Amino acid sequence: MTEGVVDLKQIVLSTTSFGPREIDQIVAAISEDRTQAQVLRDAMQELEDRDDRSPADNVRLGVCLYLLGRYNGAIEVLRSADGGALAHYYIARCYESLEQFGKAVEAYEAAAAAGYDAGVCALGCASALRQANEPQRALERLDALSGAVEQTAEYLYQRGATVAALVTNPEEVVALYERAYETDSNHSGALFGLALENDRRGNDATAVELYERAAKRFPTHVGALLNLGILYEDSQRYDAAMSCYRRVLQDYPDHPRARLYAKDSEAGGDMYFDEDEQRRRDRLAQVLSIPVSDFELSVRSRNCLQKINVTTLGDLTAYTEQELLSSKNFGETSLIEIREMLASKGLRLGQFAEQKRREEIVFDPSTMSPDEQALLGRPISDLNLSVRARKCMVRLGITTIGELLRRTPEELLECKNFGVTSLNEVREKLEPHSLKLRGD
């Protein structure tokens, strides 16, 4: 074997020692060359097919299952392993990936008790607690650490992510991520954290570069791939976005966000700029802006239109025949006159009545409770929206919750890359506060 080249099959199938060093070799080899993932799958399958697997074999198999995203299977195999520290640690990693954070903390503590590196286990506990929405407890775990572990990229990343979850000091978050990156420029968490901070600040080019680097790491960093896909969509690189979502689905076929994002991206990729359609819309806009005073109408018709503040053809198309006939002194003769005038320009009464009704839906904060009104001035970031939804808020110039509530669902859906998935997310974030979009 050439010096420097790692034989993944040998690592998985041999009876030699297997621990953090060998696992790091597997991770580094696949991060460098993604085709090596298939080598790992083949070796894992060969090990899985053995009838006489030893407890040590089950440790290797369980770790491989974890690396390839088969968490439930990994837990089952690791529980039948040797009961050692490594098995406990990767059971914890599996529970954390499955978002069963309480069980993850218990397993990390069991791993430490069994002899796994106590500092590494404490970092795992902090990570699980933070993701369980207990950032203060996570920070307490980090504060209790001292010594060499405080200089590791993982510690600096976990501390940065915890400070970010506490929403107290954005500058400290960036500084911690930068220190983590300086310690290990290939640390997926540091790369993702820096990418996310640049993404939030609108530094898309830098964010893309960092997300791309994080996405190359192994195991698959789902958050990096999903956010990278969104940025690709923003620049209309739909094939590249689909590639990101497919990579997630390759490892996690049932990942709900990846499936929805892939569907939205596929729909977006089918869109194209139709110059003829755009010219048609421009011509229609010009026609709708024509003043009704340009036409020779009867005095009765002209007076009726003035009373309901109709000044352009566009205003007129927002009214139905029934609405005009309900106006005082507006009869069948005036209606026929109006019909003919609109027909001469290819328009009709009621053509845009539905749009008018949507615009008439009024946002009235006076009907809200004092607690609900107090939420209106809070920043939109307090809703903790996903990157996709958050970028749409930026495009629409929405900075506070009150500004969001003044928008209708239809207005939000008109924003680029804002689909039904994002709309449902916004509704779900507003629901705990008993708030709704205008018109909902």
Side-chain angles (χ1 to χ4, degrees):
M1 185 171 62
T2 305
E3 184 178 355
V5 177
V6 175
D7 188 339
L8 297 189
K9 186 173 182 179
Q10 174 67 19
I11 292 176
V12 174
L13 299 176
S14 73
T15 56
T16 58
S17 64
F18 183 80
R21 176 177 174 274
E22 288 71 29
I23 296 169
D24 287 344
Q25 288 178 331
I26 294 173
V27 169
I30 299 177
S31 295
E32 184 69 26
D33 178 5
R34 297 292 298 190
T35 63
Q36 290 293 302
Q38 188 57 50
V39 177
L40 179 63
R41 291 189 188 96
D42 293 342
M44 184 193 72
Q45 188 62 56
E46 187 174 336
L47 182 59
E48 195 169 16
D49 291 341
R50 287 181 179 175
D51 294 327
D52 57 345
R53 288 200 313 266
S54 67
D57 289 336
N58 282 337
V59 173
R60 294 172 189 265
L61 177 57
V63 171
C64 291
L65 287 166
Y66 162 77
L67 292 174
L68 293 171
R70 292 167 58 180
Y71 304 125
N72 287 310
I75 292 172
E76 183 179 352
V77 170
L78 289 167
R79 287 201 179 282
S80 63
D82 58 9
L86 189 67
H88 282 297
Y89 180 74
Y90 276 92
I91 288 172
R93 296 290 295 268
C94 290
Y95 277 134
E96 185 176 353
S97 298
L98 290 168
E99 299 184 0
Q100 297 180 36
F101 301 119
K103 290 183 177 181
V105 170
E106 291 177 3
Y108 280 127
E109 291 174 343
Y116 204 86
D117 187 293
V120 172
C121 291
L123 291 176
C125 287
S127 177
L129 289 168
R130 169 176 54 80
Q131 293 177 82
N133 295 319
E134 297 187 69
Q136 190 57 52
R137 288 185 63 198
L139 187 62
E140 290 169 3
R141 293 284 183 126
L142 294 171
D143 285 342
L145 292 172
S146 61
V149 68
E150 292 181 286
Q151 306 306 316
T152 64
E154 181 65 14
Y155 172 87
L156 293 166
Y157 163 67
Q158 290 296 345
R159 192 168 192 91
T162 302
V163 174
L166 289 167
V167 196
T168 54
N169 193 334
E171 290 74 19
E172 184 184 1
V173 173
V174 174
L176 286 164
Y177 286 156
E178 288 176 342
R179 284 181 58 198
Y181 175 80
E182 290 167 3
T183 303
D184 180 1
S185 60
N186 288 320
H187 190 278
S188 59
L191 290 166
F192 175 73
L194 282 175
L196 187 60
E197 292 303 315
N198 277 279
D199 197 346
R200 286 170 172 164
R201 290 162 172 76
N203 304 325
D204 287 0
T206 303
V208 166
E209 179 188 354
L210 292 165
Y211 278 139
E212 286 175 341
R213 290 180 59 190
K216 288 179 181 178
R217 306 307 298 165
F218 179 81
T220 301
H221 197 297
V222 175
L225 284 168
L226 292 180
N227 292 355
L228 180 59
I230 293 168
L231 287 174
Y232 281 153
E233 287 183 40
D234 285 346
S235 56
Q236 298 183 9
R237 297 170 60 187
Y238 294 106
D239 288 343
M242 281 298 297
S243 178
C244 292
Y245 305 143
R246 288 192 186 108
R247 265 191 59 193
V248 176
L249 293 171
Q250 180 181 355
D251 291 340
Y252 314 105
D254 297 322
H255 195 284
R257 285 177 62 201
R259 291 173 70 87
L260 289 169
Y261 284 13
K263 184 177 180 181
D264 288 349
S265 182
E266 189 173 17
D270 292 338
M271 294 188 297
Y272 59 92
F273 181 70
D274 188 331
E275 292 185 3
D276 290 339
E277 175 65 16
Q278 187 61 45
R279 280 195 289 269
R280 188 191 70 78
R281 290 178 180 176
D282 290 343
R283 286 196 297 271
L284 177 60
Q286 290 175 351
V287 171
L288 292 175
S289 65
I290 296 174
V292 293
S293 58
D294 286 2
F295 297 86
E296 293 186 5
L297 295 173
S298 65
V299 174
R300 172 171 289 183
S301 296
R302 192 161 53 247
N303 289 340
C304 287
L305 294 181
Q306 286 177 350
K307 288 178 182 177
I308 58 176
N309 296 318
V310 169
T311 60
T312 67
L313 297 187
D315 296 338
L316 195 50
T317 59
Y319 282 85
T320 63
E321 292 187 1
Q322 291 77 11
E323 287 173 329
L324 288 181
L325 288 170
S326 65
S327 299
K328 186 178 180 180
N329 297 328
F330 195 97
E332 287 290 340
T333 302
S334 295
L335 181 62
I336 293 172
E337 186 179 18
I338 295 297
R339 280 180 186 157
E340 292 175 349
M341 177 185 71
L342 289 175
S344 70
K345 296 297 181 180
L347 302 173
R348 59 180 172 78
L349 284 168
Q351 188 170 346
F352 297 107
E354 181 59 32
Q355 178 176 318
K356 174 175 175 285
R357 277 193 288 273
R358 288 205 307 266
E359 290 173 351
E360 285 177 344
I361 300 171
V362 177
F363 171 70
D364 184 9
S366 65
T367 62
M368 304 169 72
S369 69
D371 288 343
E372 290 171 342
Q373 291 186 38
L375 292 170
L376 302 184
R378 286 172 54 181
I380 199 71
S381 58
D382 284 3
L383 294 179
N384 293 317
L385 297 171
S386 66
V387 172
R388 169 171 286 185
R390 191 164 58 244
K391 292 182 78 68
C392 290
M393 297 298 108
V394 172
R395 291 193 193 97
L396 293 168
I398 296 173
T399 59
T400 67
I401 293 176
E403 290 171 354
L404 173 61
L405 299 183
R406 287 178 171 81
R407 301 287 183 142
T408 65
E410 292 80 8
E411 289 171 337
L412 295 179
L413 288 170
E414 289 173 359
C415 182
K416 176 183 173 185
N417 291 335
F418 193 98
V420 174
T421 305
S422 298
L423 177 61
N424 289 336
E425 179 192 352
V426 168
R427 284 169 167 160
E428 289 171 3
K429 296 290 187 180
L430 292 174
E431 186 176 0
H433 304 291
S434 300
L435 299 176
K436 291 184 178 181
L437 296 168
R438 181 165 63 96
D440 261 355

